[in-house]
Amino acid sequence: MSDMDEILTQIEDLRKKLNTLIKENNTLLDPKVIAASQILDSVLNEYNEIAKKSDK
């Protein structure tokens, strides 16, 4: 599996986890939801960096 495939799988898993946490806590302000969102943001940033490098 390539780096891109792995990171896309990770992104999908993190999105599912975030959606589950939002449904369980009924709020976007719960610390667990915020932490999961920050982790997803970090991985998305990593994906963007990899995508930029592959475009060059």
Side-chain angles (χ1 to χ4, degrees):
M1 187 180 280
S2 73
D3 287 344
M4 288 297 268
D5 291 335
E6 287 180 29
I7 201 163
L8 287 171
T9 299
Q10 187 178 9
I11 289 168
E12 186 59 32
D13 291 344
L14 289 168
R15 282 184 175 152
K16 287 177 185 177
K17 179 180 178 181
L18 179 60
N19 285 328
T20 299
L21 286 170
I22 292 168
K23 288 176 187 176
E24 288 174 353
N25 294 290
N26 294 320
T27 181
L28 297 175
L29 300 176
D30 185 272
K32 292 178 187 174
V33 173
I34 293 169
S37 178
Q38 290 171 334
I39 292 168
L40 177 56
D41 286 346
S42 176
V43 175
L44 287 168
N45 288 336
E46 183 180 341
Y47 171 83
N48 285 331
E49 288 299 315
I50 292 170
K52 281 183 195 178
K53 289 178 185 176
S54 68
D55 286 343
K56 292 182 177 179

mmCIF file of all heavy atoms in Angstrom:
data_model
loop_
_atom_site.group_PDB
_atom_site.id
_atom_site.type_symbol
_atom_site.label_atom_id
_atom_site.label_comp_id
_atom_site.label_asym_id
_atom_site.label_seq_id
_atom_site.Cartn_x
_atom_site.Cartn_y
_atom_site.Cartn_z
ATOM 1 N N MET A 1 0.852 -1.180 0.000
ATOM 2 C CA MET A 1 0.000 0.000 0.000
ATOM 3 C C MET A 1 0.898 1.244 0.000
ATOM 4 O O MET A 1 1.853 1.337 0.761
ATOM 5 C CB MET A 1 -0.901 -0.030 1.250
ATOM 6 C CG MET A 1 -1.952 1.050 1.269
ATOM 7 S SD MET A 1 -3.019 1.032 2.742
ATOM 8 C CE MET A 1 -4.158 -0.255 2.336
ATOM 9 N N SER A 2 0.569 2.196 -0.824
ATOM 10 C CA SER A 2 1.381 3.415 -0.916
ATOM 11 C C SER A 2 1.098 4.351 0.260
ATOM 12 O O SER A 2 0.118 4.179 0.991
ATOM 13 C CB SER A 2 1.077 4.148 -2.226
ATOM 14 O OG SER A 2 -0.196 4.764 -2.168
ATOM 15 N N ASP A 3 1.968 5.334 0.419
ATOM 16 C CA ASP A 3 1.777 6.331 1.478
ATOM 17 C C ASP A 3 0.431 7.029 1.339
ATOM 18 O O ASP A 3 -0.257 7.271 2.327
ATOM 19 C CB ASP A 3 2.896 7.376 1.445
ATOM 20 C CG ASP A 3 4.226 6.834 1.947
ATOM 21 O OD1 ASP A 3 4.224 5.778 2.597
ATOM 22 O OD2 ASP A 3 5.246 7.479 1.687
ATOM 23 N N MET A 4 0.067 7.357 0.101
ATOM 24 C CA MET A 4 -1.203 8.049 -0.136
ATOM 25 C C MET A 4 -2.386 7.167 0.256
ATOM 26 O O MET A 4 -3.335 7.641 0.873
ATOM 27 C CB MET A 4 -1.330 8.476 -1.600
ATOM 28 C CG MET A 4 -0.427 9.619 -1.962
ATOM 29 S SD MET A 4 -0.803 11.134 -1.064
ATOM 30 C CE MET A 4 -1.932 11.885 -2.196
ATOM 31 N N ASP A 5 -2.321 5.886 -0.102
ATOM 32 C CA ASP A 5 -3.401 4.965 0.256
ATOM 33 C C ASP A 5 -3.531 4.837 1.769
ATOM 34 O O ASP A 5 -4.640 4.839 2.314
ATOM 35 C CB ASP A 5 -3.174 3.578 -0.353
ATOM 36 C CG ASP A 5 -3.328 3.572 -1.859
ATOM 37 O OD1 ASP A 5 -4.038 4.448 -2.399
ATOM 38 O OD2 ASP A 5 -2.739 2.684 -2.501
ATOM 39 N N GLU A 6 -2.394 4.737 2.435
ATOM 40 C CA GLU A 6 -2.404 4.604 3.893
ATOM 41 C C GLU A 6 -2.993 5.841 4.567
ATOM 42 O O GLU A 6 -3.801 5.732 5.486
ATOM 43 C CB GLU A 6 -0.992 4.355 4.414
ATOM 44 C CG GLU A 6 -0.481 2.976 4.116
ATOM 45 C CD GLU A 6 0.918 2.751 4.649
ATOM 46 O OE1 GLU A 6 1.283 3.382 5.660
ATOM 47 O OE2 GLU A 6 1.635 1.922 4.060
ATOM 48 N N ILE A 7 -2.590 7.009 4.099
ATOM 49 C CA ILE A 7 -3.072 8.232 4.732
ATOM 50 C C ILE A 7 -4.555 8.454 4.425
ATOM 51 O O ILE A 7 -5.302 8.936 5.275
ATOM 52 C CB ILE A 7 -2.200 9.449 4.360
ATOM 53 C CG1 ILE A 7 -2.383 10.553 5.394
ATOM 54 C CG2 ILE A 7 -2.496 9.972 2.981
ATOM 55 C CD1 ILE A 7 -1.301 11.605 5.374
ATOM 56 N N LEU A 8 -5.004 8.059 3.229
ATOM 57 C CA LEU A 8 -6.428 8.178 2.899
ATOM 58 C C LEU A 8 -7.276 7.251 3.778
ATOM 59 O O LEU A 8 -8.361 7.633 4.230
ATOM 60 C CB LEU A 8 -6.661 7.887 1.420
ATOM 61 C CG LEU A 8 -6.195 8.984 0.471
ATOM 62 C CD1 LEU A 8 -6.261 8.497 -0.974
ATOM 63 C CD2 LEU A 8 -7.002 10.257 0.651
ATOM 64 N N THR A 9 -6.760 6.060 4.045
ATOM 65 C CA THR A 9 -7.447 5.131 4.945
ATOM 66 C C THR A 9 -7.499 5.713 6.353
ATOM 67 O O THR A 9 -8.534 5.656 7.028
ATOM 68 C CB THR A 9 -6.733 3.761 4.952
ATOM 69 O OG1 THR A 9 -6.764 3.229 3.632
ATOM 70 C CG2 THR A 9 -7.402 2.799 5.915
ATOM 71 N N GLN A 10 -6.401 6.285 6.787
ATOM 72 C CA GLN A 10 -6.345 6.900 8.112
ATOM 73 C C GLN A 10 -7.332 8.063 8.212
ATOM 74 O O GLN A 10 -8.033 8.209 9.214
ATOM 75 C CB GLN A 10 -4.925 7.378 8.398
ATOM 76 C CG GLN A 10 -4.714 7.874 9.796
ATOM 77 C CD GLN A 10 -3.270 8.300 10.046
ATOM 78 O OE1 GLN A 10 -2.457 8.378 9.135
ATOM 79 N NE2 GLN A 10 -2.971 8.588 11.295
ATOM 80 N N ILE A 11 -7.410 8.881 7.167
ATOM 81 C CA ILE A 11 -8.336 10.008 7.152
ATOM 82 C C ILE A 11 -9.775 9.512 7.266
ATOM 83 O O ILE A 11 -10.563 10.046 8.049
ATOM 84 C CB ILE A 11 -8.145 10.870 5.886
ATOM 85 C CG1 ILE A 11 -6.823 11.639 5.985
ATOM 86 C CG2 ILE A 11 -9.329 11.814 5.660
ATOM 87 C CD1 ILE A 11 -6.378 12.296 4.685
ATOM 88 N N GLU A 12 -10.119 8.487 6.513
ATOM 89 C CA GLU A 12 -11.483 7.952 6.559
ATOM 90 C C GLU A 12 -11.807 7.405 7.946
ATOM 91 O O GLU A 12 -12.900 7.646 8.484
ATOM 92 C CB GLU A 12 -11.662 6.866 5.496
ATOM 93 C CG GLU A 12 -13.078 6.355 5.385
ATOM 94 C CD GLU A 12 -14.100 7.433 5.050
ATOM 95 O OE1 GLU A 12 -13.771 8.402 4.340
ATOM 96 O OE2 GLU A 12 -15.257 7.307 5.514
ATOM 97 N N ASP A 13 -10.868 6.690 8.550
ATOM 98 C CA ASP A 13 -11.079 6.154 9.899
ATOM 99 C C ASP A 13 -11.275 7.283 10.917
ATOM 100 O O ASP A 13 -12.156 7.197 11.787
ATOM 101 C CB ASP A 13 -9.912 5.268 10.326
ATOM 102 C CG ASP A 13 -9.840 3.968 9.548
ATOM 103 O OD1 ASP A 13 -10.830 3.593 8.885
ATOM 104 O OD2 ASP A 13 -8.762 3.326 9.592
ATOM 105 N N LEU A 14 -10.460 8.326 10.810
ATOM 106 C CA LEU A 14 -10.575 9.456 11.739
ATOM 107 C C LEU A 14 -11.888 10.211 11.548
ATOM 108 O O LEU A 14 -12.487 10.666 12.522
ATOM 109 C CB LEU A 14 -9.381 10.400 11.570
ATOM 110 C CG LEU A 14 -8.045 9.862 12.080
ATOM 111 C CD1 LEU A 14 -6.895 10.731 11.597
ATOM 112 C CD2 LEU A 14 -8.051 9.761 13.598
ATOM 113 N N ARG A 15 -12.346 10.325 10.318
ATOM 114 C CA ARG A 15 -13.639 10.981 10.066
ATOM 115 C C ARG A 15 -14.775 10.200 10.705
ATOM 116 O O ARG A 15 -15.682 10.781 11.309
ATOM 117 C CB ARG A 15 -13.887 11.118 8.561
ATOM 118 C CG ARG A 15 -13.127 12.234 7.937
ATOM 119 C CD ARG A 15 -13.480 12.378 6.477
ATOM 120 N NE ARG A 15 -12.812 13.538 5.909
ATOM 121 C CZ ARG A 15 -12.466 13.667 4.656
ATOM 122 N NH1 ARG A 15 -12.743 12.708 3.793
ATOM 123 N NH2 ARG A 15 -11.864 14.750 4.232
ATOM 124 N N LYS A 16 -14.728 8.879 10.556
ATOM 125 C CA LYS A 16 -15.761 8.032 11.162
ATOM 126 C C LYS A 16 -15.753 8.193 12.686
ATOM 127 O O LYS A 16 -16.811 8.310 13.313
ATOM 128 C CB LYS A 16 -15.547 6.569 10.779
ATOM 129 C CG LYS A 16 -15.894 6.272 9.343
ATOM 130 C CD LYS A 16 -15.593 4.818 9.005
ATOM 131 C CE LYS A 16 -15.823 4.535 7.537
ATOM 132 N NZ LYS A 16 -15.480 3.152 7.181
ATOM 133 N N LYS A 17 -14.559 8.178 13.270
ATOM 134 C CA LYS A 17 -14.437 8.323 14.725
ATOM 135 C C LYS A 17 -14.979 9.678 15.168
ATOM 136 O O LYS A 17 -15.720 9.769 16.154
ATOM 137 C CB LYS A 17 -12.977 8.183 15.145
ATOM 138 C CG LYS A 17 -12.750 8.334 16.620
ATOM 139 C CD LYS A 17 -11.281 8.176 16.987
ATOM 140 C CE LYS A 17 -11.092 8.386 18.474
ATOM 141 N NZ LYS A 17 -9.691 8.259 18.876
ATOM 142 N N LEU A 18 -14.637 10.724 14.427
ATOM 143 C CA LEU A 18 -15.112 12.070 14.766
ATOM 144 C C LEU A 18 -16.630 12.138 14.689
ATOM 145 O O LEU A 18 -17.284 12.666 15.595
ATOM 146 C CB LEU A 18 -14.473 13.101 13.832
ATOM 147 C CG LEU A 18 -14.893 14.553 14.035
ATOM 148 C CD1 LEU A 18 -14.565 15.039 15.443
ATOM 149 C CD2 LEU A 18 -14.218 15.439 12.992
ATOM 150 N N ASN A 19 -17.215 11.600 13.633
ATOM 151 C CA ASN A 19 -18.678 11.608 13.505
ATOM 152 C C ASN A 19 -19.354 10.839 14.633
ATOM 153 O O ASN A 19 -20.384 11.267 15.155
ATOM 154 C CB ASN A 19 -19.100 11.048 12.143
ATOM 155 C CG ASN A 19 -18.855 12.026 11.023
ATOM 156 O OD1 ASN A 19 -18.940 13.229 11.205
ATOM 157 N ND2 ASN A 19 -18.543 11.505 9.845
ATOM 158 N N THR A 20 -18.764 9.723 15.021
ATOM 159 C CA THR A 20 -19.305 8.940 16.137
ATOM 160 C C THR A 20 -19.256 9.743 17.430
ATOM 161 O O THR A 20 -20.233 9.777 18.188
ATOM 162 C CB THR A 20 -18.525 7.621 16.299
ATOM 163 O OG1 THR A 20 -18.660 6.859 15.105
ATOM 164 C CG2 THR A 20 -19.036 6.819 17.483
ATOM 165 N N LEU A 21 -18.135 10.403 17.692
ATOM 166 C CA LEU A 21 -18.006 11.211 18.905
ATOM 167 C C LEU A 21 -19.008 12.355 18.923
ATOM 168 O O LEU A 21 -19.589 12.665 19.969
ATOM 169 C CB LEU A 21 -16.583 11.768 19.022
ATOM 170 C CG LEU A 21 -15.506 10.776 19.422
ATOM 171 C CD1 LEU A 21 -14.125 11.393 19.267
ATOM 172 C CD2 LEU A 21 -15.726 10.309 20.859
ATOM 173 N N ILE A 22 -19.226 12.981 17.779
ATOM 174 C CA ILE A 22 -20.199 14.079 17.700
ATOM 175 C C ILE A 22 -21.593 13.567 18.031
ATOM 176 O O ILE A 22 -22.332 14.187 18.801
ATOM 177 C CB ILE A 22 -20.159 14.748 16.312
ATOM 178 C CG1 ILE A 22 -18.837 15.487 16.124
ATOM 179 C CG2 ILE A 22 -21.343 15.697 16.132
ATOM 180 C CD1 ILE A 22 -18.575 15.935 14.694
ATOM 181 N N LYS A 23 -21.958 12.414 17.474
ATOM 182 C CA LYS A 23 -23.282 11.838 17.741
ATOM 183 C C LYS A 23 -23.433 11.438 19.201
ATOM 184 O O LYS A 23 -24.480 11.658 19.811
ATOM 185 C CB LYS A 23 -23.522 10.630 16.844
ATOM 186 C CG LYS A 23 -23.758 11.003 15.400
ATOM 187 C CD LYS A 23 -23.898 9.768 14.534
ATOM 188 C CE LYS A 23 -23.969 10.152 13.074
ATOM 189 N NZ LYS A 23 -24.013 8.985 12.193
ATOM 190 N N GLU A 24 -22.385 10.863 19.780
ATOM 191 C CA GLU A 24 -22.440 10.411 21.175
ATOM 192 C C GLU A 24 -22.538 11.574 22.152
ATOM 193 O O GLU A 24 -23.195 11.473 23.183
ATOM 194 C CB GLU A 24 -21.199 9.582 21.513
ATOM 195 C CG GLU A 24 -21.183 8.210 20.883
ATOM 196 C CD GLU A 24 -19.876 7.473 21.131
ATOM 197 O OE1 GLU A 24 -18.919 8.059 21.683
ATOM 198 O OE2 GLU A 24 -19.810 6.282 20.754
ATOM 199 N N ASN A 25 -21.860 12.670 21.858
ATOM 200 C CA ASN A 25 -21.779 13.782 22.790
ATOM 201 C C ASN A 25 -22.749 14.915 22.482
ATOM 202 O O ASN A 25 -22.898 15.831 23.287
ATOM 203 C CB ASN A 25 -20.345 14.324 22.826
ATOM 204 C CG ASN A 25 -19.396 13.309 23.415
ATOM 205 O OD1 ASN A 25 -19.441 13.031 24.596
ATOM 206 N ND2 ASN A 25 -18.555 12.723 22.580
ATOM 207 N N ASN A 26 -23.395 14.861 21.327
ATOM 208 C CA ASN A 26 -24.382 15.867 20.925
ATOM 209 C C ASN A 26 -23.846 17.286 20.970
ATOM 210 O O ASN A 26 -24.602 18.230 21.200
ATOM 211 C CB ASN A 26 -25.659 15.758 21.772
ATOM 212 C CG ASN A 26 -26.394 14.461 21.534
ATOM 213 O OD1 ASN A 26 -26.491 14.002 20.410
ATOM 214 N ND2 ASN A 26 -26.892 13.867 22.602
ATOM 215 N N THR A 27 -22.553 17.447 20.793
ATOM 216 C CA THR A 27 -21.963 18.782 20.785
ATOM 217 C C THR A 27 -20.621 18.750 20.069
ATOM 218 O O THR A 27 -19.938 17.735 20.070
ATOM 219 C CB THR A 27 -21.784 19.345 22.203
ATOM 220 O OG1 THR A 27 -21.225 20.655 22.110
ATOM 221 C CG2 THR A 27 -20.882 18.472 23.045
ATOM 222 N N LEU A 28 -20.280 19.878 19.491
ATOM 223 C CA LEU A 28 -18.967 20.007 18.863
ATOM 224 C C LEU A 28 -17.935 20.528 19.849
ATOM 225 O O LEU A 28 -16.747 20.572 19.541
ATOM 226 C CB LEU A 28 -19.047 20.962 17.669
ATOM 227 C CG LEU A 28 -19.944 20.526 16.521
ATOM 228 C CD1 LEU A 28 -20.021 21.620 15.464
ATOM 229 C CD2 LEU A 28 -19.446 19.235 15.903
ATOM 230 N N LEU A 29 -18.378 20.913 21.033
ATOM 231 C CA LEU A 29 -17.489 21.543 22.010
ATOM 232 C C LEU A 29 -16.926 20.585 23.052
ATOM 233 O O LEU A 29 -16.161 21.003 23.919
ATOM 234 C CB LEU A 29 -18.218 22.696 22.700
ATOM 235 C CG LEU A 29 -18.708 23.813 21.766
ATOM 236 C CD1 LEU A 29 -19.491 24.856 22.544
ATOM 237 C CD2 LEU A 29 -17.547 24.438 21.026
ATOM 238 N N ASP A 30 -17.302 19.328 22.980
ATOM 239 C CA ASP A 30 -16.770 18.342 23.921
ATOM 240 C C ASP A 30 -15.263 18.196 23.682
ATOM 241 O O ASP A 30 -14.808 18.157 22.530
ATOM 242 C CB ASP A 30 -17.468 16.994 23.707
ATOM 243 C CG ASP A 30 -17.043 15.966 24.719
ATOM 244 O OD1 ASP A 30 -16.029 15.276 24.457
ATOM 245 O OD2 ASP A 30 -17.704 15.846 25.753
ATOM 246 N N PRO A 31 -14.466 18.120 24.740
ATOM 247 C CA PRO A 31 -13.009 17.996 24.578
ATOM 248 C C PRO A 31 -12.579 16.804 23.725
ATOM 249 O O PRO A 31 -11.599 16.898 22.979
ATOM 250 C CB PRO A 31 -12.503 17.848 26.013
ATOM 251 C CG PRO A 31 -13.546 18.508 26.852
ATOM 252 C CD PRO A 31 -14.845 18.262 26.150
ATOM 253 N N LYS A 32 -13.306 15.685 23.794
ATOM 254 C CA LYS A 32 -12.968 14.520 22.968
ATOM 255 C C LYS A 32 -13.205 14.815 21.487
ATOM 256 O O LYS A 32 -12.425 14.386 20.637
ATOM 257 C CB LYS A 32 -13.807 13.310 23.383
ATOM 258 C CG LYS A 32 -13.470 12.768 24.753
ATOM 259 C CD LYS A 32 -14.386 11.618 25.100
ATOM 260 C CE LYS A 32 -14.178 11.185 26.535
ATOM 261 N NZ LYS A 32 -15.155 10.177 26.942
ATOM 262 N N VAL A 33 -14.277 15.543 21.191
ATOM 263 C CA VAL A 33 -14.583 15.911 19.807
ATOM 264 C C VAL A 33 -13.523 16.874 19.278
ATOM 265 O O VAL A 33 -13.021 16.715 18.156
ATOM 266 C CB VAL A 33 -15.998 16.527 19.699
ATOM 267 C CG1 VAL A 33 -16.256 17.072 18.300
ATOM 268 C CG2 VAL A 33 -17.067 15.506 20.084
ATOM 269 N N ILE A 34 -13.164 17.842 20.086
ATOM 270 C CA ILE A 34 -12.148 18.820 19.684
ATOM 271 C C ILE A 34 -10.806 18.126 19.435
ATOM 272 O O ILE A 34 -10.137 18.382 18.430
ATOM 273 C CB ILE A 34 -12.012 19.931 20.737
ATOM 274 C CG1 ILE A 34 -13.303 20.768 20.771
ATOM 275 C CG2 ILE A 34 -10.800 20.809 20.452
ATOM 276 C CD1 ILE A 34 -13.407 21.721 21.930
ATOM 277 N N ALA A 35 -10.427 17.217 20.324
ATOM 278 C CA ALA A 35 -9.158 16.497 20.158
ATOM 279 C C ALA A 35 -9.170 15.655 18.885
ATOM 280 O O ALA A 35 -8.188 15.648 18.125
ATOM 281 C CB ALA A 35 -8.893 15.624 21.378
ATOM 282 N N ALA A 36 -10.270 14.962 18.626
ATOM 283 C CA ALA A 36 -10.371 14.144 17.421
ATOM 284 C C ALA A 36 -10.315 15.012 16.169
ATOM 285 O O ALA A 36 -9.690 14.647 15.168
ATOM 286 C CB ALA A 36 -11.660 13.322 17.449
ATOM 287 N N SER A 37 -10.942 16.163 16.230
ATOM 288 C CA SER A 37 -10.921 17.097 15.107
ATOM 289 C C SER A 37 -9.506 17.607 14.841
ATOM 290 O O SER A 37 -9.075 17.721 13.682
ATOM 291 C CB SER A 37 -11.864 18.270 15.386
ATOM 292 O OG SER A 37 -11.821 19.203 14.348
ATOM 293 N N GLN A 38 -8.780 17.885 15.899
ATOM 294 C CA GLN A 38 -7.399 18.365 15.744
ATOM 295 C C GLN A 38 -6.501 17.293 15.143
ATOM 296 O O GLN A 38 -5.634 17.585 14.320
ATOM 297 C CB GLN A 38 -6.859 18.832 17.093
ATOM 298 C CG GLN A 38 -7.514 20.111 17.571
ATOM 299 C CD GLN A 38 -7.148 20.478 18.995
ATOM 300 O OE1 GLN A 38 -6.811 19.618 19.808
ATOM 301 N NE2 GLN A 38 -7.223 21.764 19.297
ATOM 302 N N ILE A 39 -6.715 16.048 15.544
ATOM 303 C CA ILE A 39 -5.940 14.945 14.982
ATOM 304 C C ILE A 39 -6.241 14.807 13.489
ATOM 305 O O ILE A 39 -5.330 14.673 12.667
ATOM 306 C CB ILE A 39 -6.222 13.629 15.734
ATOM 307 C CG1 ILE A 39 -5.675 13.715 17.166
ATOM 308 C CG2 ILE A 39 -5.627 12.433 14.986
ATOM 309 C CD1 ILE A 39 -6.140 12.595 18.075
ATOM 310 N N LEU A 40 -7.517 14.875 13.146
ATOM 311 C CA LEU A 40 -7.906 14.795 11.740
ATOM 312 C C LEU A 40 -7.293 15.949 10.950
ATOM 313 O O LEU A 40 -6.767 15.749 9.852
ATOM 314 C CB LEU A 40 -9.427 14.788 11.597
ATOM 315 C CG LEU A 40 -9.978 14.779 10.174
ATOM 316 C CD1 LEU A 40 -9.447 13.594 9.370
ATOM 317 C CD2 LEU A 40 -11.499 14.780 10.204
ATOM 318 N N ASP A 41 -7.338 17.141 11.488
ATOM 319 C CA ASP A 41 -6.727 18.302 10.821
ATOM 320 C C ASP A 41 -5.239 18.062 10.560
ATOM 321 O O ASP A 41 -4.730 18.376 9.485
ATOM 322 C CB ASP A 41 -6.885 19.570 11.664
ATOM 323 C CG ASP A 41 -8.283 20.131 11.645
ATOM 324 O OD1 ASP A 41 -9.091 19.718 10.783
ATOM 325 O OD2 ASP A 41 -8.576 20.991 12.497
ATOM 326 N N SER A 42 -4.561 17.511 11.533
ATOM 327 C CA SER A 42 -3.132 17.245 11.404
ATOM 328 C C SER A 42 -2.853 16.255 10.270
ATOM 329 O O SER A 42 -1.942 16.454 9.455
ATOM 330 C CB SER A 42 -2.586 16.710 12.725
ATOM 331 O OG SER A 42 -1.249 16.365 12.601
ATOM 332 N N VAL A 43 -3.641 15.204 10.214
ATOM 333 C CA VAL A 43 -3.451 14.192 9.167
ATOM 334 C C VAL A 43 -3.817 14.773 7.797
ATOM 335 O O VAL A 43 -3.151 14.481 6.799
ATOM 336 C CB VAL A 43 -4.257 12.915 9.487
ATOM 337 C CG1 VAL A 43 -4.168 11.909 8.350
ATOM 338 C CG2 VAL A 43 -3.750 12.286 10.781
ATOM 339 N N LEU A 44 -4.837 15.607 7.749
ATOM 340 C CA LEU A 44 -5.192 16.263 6.488
ATOM 341 C C LEU A 44 -4.070 17.184 6.016
ATOM 342 O O LEU A 44 -3.760 17.246 4.817
ATOM 343 C CB LEU A 44 -6.494 17.047 6.625
ATOM 344 C CG LEU A 44 -7.765 16.204 6.713
ATOM 345 C CD1 LEU A 44 -8.946 17.066 7.145
ATOM 346 C CD2 LEU A 44 -8.045 15.516 5.392
ATOM 347 N N ASN A 45 -3.439 17.873 6.942
ATOM 348 C CA ASN A 45 -2.294 18.716 6.592
ATOM 349 C C ASN A 45 -1.141 17.873 6.051
ATOM 350 O O ASN A 45 -0.475 18.252 5.081
ATOM 351 C CB ASN A 45 -1.836 19.544 7.791
ATOM 352 C CG ASN A 45 -2.803 20.648 8.131
ATOM 353 O OD1 ASN A 45 -3.564 21.118 7.290
ATOM 354 N ND2 ASN A 45 -2.791 21.064 9.385
ATOM 355 N N GLU A 46 -0.913 16.741 6.676
ATOM 356 C CA GLU A 46 0.127 15.823 6.210
ATOM 357 C C GLU A 46 -0.194 15.339 4.792
ATOM 358 O O GLU A 46 0.681 15.287 3.922
ATOM 359 C CB GLU A 46 0.219 14.634 7.166
ATOM 360 C CG GLU A 46 1.296 13.650 6.851
ATOM 361 C CD GLU A 46 1.338 12.494 7.841
ATOM 362 O OE1 GLU A 46 0.794 12.603 8.952
ATOM 363 O OE2 GLU A 46 1.929 11.459 7.462
ATOM 364 N N TYR A 47 -1.456 14.998 4.549
ATOM 365 C CA TYR A 47 -1.891 14.574 3.218
ATOM 366 C C TYR A 47 -1.619 15.673 2.189
ATOM 367 O O TYR A 47 -1.109 15.404 1.098
ATOM 368 C CB TYR A 47 -3.385 14.228 3.242
ATOM 369 C CG TYR A 47 -3.955 13.986 1.867
ATOM 370 C CD1 TYR A 47 -3.825 12.744 1.244
ATOM 371 C CD2 TYR A 47 -4.611 14.999 1.183
ATOM 372 C CE1 TYR A 47 -4.342 12.523 -0.020
ATOM 373 C CE2 TYR A 47 -5.125 14.783 -0.085
ATOM 374 C CZ TYR A 47 -4.992 13.541 -0.680
ATOM 375 O OH TYR A 47 -5.489 13.335 -1.939
ATOM 376 N N ASN A 48 -1.959 16.910 2.537
ATOM 377 C CA ASN A 48 -1.736 18.032 1.621
ATOM 378 C C ASN A 48 -0.259 18.213 1.295
ATOM 379 O O ASN A 48 0.097 18.517 0.153
ATOM 380 C CB ASN A 48 -2.325 19.322 2.190
ATOM 381 C CG ASN A 48 -3.822 19.363 2.092
ATOM 382 O OD1 ASN A 48 -4.416 18.774 1.196
ATOM 383 N ND2 ASN A 48 -4.454 20.062 3.019
ATOM 384 N N GLU A 49 0.600 18.028 2.275
ATOM 385 C CA GLU A 49 2.038 18.134 2.042
ATOM 386 C C GLU A 49 2.519 17.048 1.085
ATOM 387 O O GLU A 49 3.314 17.310 0.181
ATOM 388 C CB GLU A 49 2.815 18.077 3.359
ATOM 389 C CG GLU A 49 2.681 19.315 4.203
ATOM 390 C CD GLU A 49 3.207 20.563 3.514
ATOM 391 O OE1 GLU A 49 4.297 20.506 2.915
ATOM 392 O OE2 GLU A 49 2.519 21.589 3.578
ATOM 393 N N ILE A 50 2.043 15.838 1.279
ATOM 394 C CA ILE A 50 2.419 14.734 0.397
ATOM 395 C C ILE A 50 1.905 15.008 -1.022
ATOM 396 O O ILE A 50 2.620 14.785 -2.007
ATOM 397 C CB ILE A 50 1.881 13.383 0.928
ATOM 398 C CG1 ILE A 50 2.598 13.012 2.235
ATOM 399 C CG2 ILE A 50 2.045 12.278 -0.117
ATOM 400 C CD1 ILE A 50 1.990 11.830 2.954
ATOM 401 N N ALA A 51 0.678 15.496 -1.122
ATOM 402 C CA ALA A 51 0.093 15.795 -2.433
ATOM 403 C C ALA A 51 0.879 16.885 -3.151
ATOM 404 O O ALA A 51 1.103 16.799 -4.364
ATOM 405 C CB ALA A 51 -1.375 16.198 -2.273
ATOM 406 N N LYS A 52 1.313 17.909 -2.420
ATOM 407 C CA LYS A 52 2.110 18.988 -3.021
ATOM 408 C C LYS A 52 3.423 18.443 -3.581
ATOM 409 O O LYS A 52 3.847 18.815 -4.675
ATOM 410 C CB LYS A 52 2.429 20.073 -1.989
ATOM 411 C CG LYS A 52 1.321 21.018 -1.711
ATOM 412 C CD LYS A 52 1.819 22.065 -0.717
ATOM 413 C CE LYS A 52 0.678 22.830 -0.109
ATOM 414 N NZ LYS A 52 1.170 23.804 0.892
ATOM 415 N N LYS A 53 4.062 17.588 -2.817
ATOM 416 C CA LYS A 53 5.344 17.023 -3.244
ATOM 417 C C LYS A 53 5.187 16.146 -4.470
ATOM 418 O O LYS A 53 6.064 16.111 -5.335
ATOM 419 C CB LYS A 53 5.990 16.225 -2.112
ATOM 420 C CG LYS A 53 6.501 17.091 -0.988
ATOM 421 C CD LYS A 53 7.079 16.258 0.131
ATOM 422 C CE LYS A 53 7.470 17.147 1.306
ATOM 423 N NZ LYS A 53 7.942 16.354 2.451
ATOM 424 N N SER A 54 4.073 15.419 -4.565
ATOM 425 C CA SER A 54 3.875 14.528 -5.706
ATOM 426 C C SER A 54 3.514 15.296 -6.980
ATOM 427 O O SER A 54 3.687 14.802 -8.083
ATOM 428 C CB SER A 54 2.807 13.475 -5.399
ATOM 429 O OG SER A 54 1.537 14.076 -5.284
ATOM 430 N N ASP A 55 3.013 16.526 -6.820
ATOM 431 C CA ASP A 55 2.679 17.368 -7.975
ATOM 432 C C ASP A 55 3.912 17.962 -8.626
ATOM 433 O O ASP A 55 3.889 18.354 -9.784
ATOM 434 C CB ASP A 55 1.732 18.506 -7.576
ATOM 435 C CG ASP A 55 0.314 18.018 -7.335
ATOM 436 O OD1 ASP A 55 -0.012 16.889 -7.771
ATOM 437 O OD2 ASP A 55 -0.471 18.768 -6.729
ATOM 438 N N LYS A 56 4.991 18.052 -7.887
ATOM 439 C CA LYS A 56 6.218 18.690 -8.406
ATOM 440 C C LYS A 56 7.039 17.757 -9.223
ATOM 441 O O LYS A 56 7.011 16.655 -9.325
ATOM 442 C CB LYS A 56 7.052 19.240 -7.244
ATOM 443 C CG LYS A 56 6.368 20.402 -6.585
ATOM 444 C CD LYS A 56 7.249 20.956 -5.483
ATOM 445 C CE LYS A 56 6.564 22.196 -4.870
ATOM 446 N NZ LYS A 56 7.329 22.758 -3.804
#
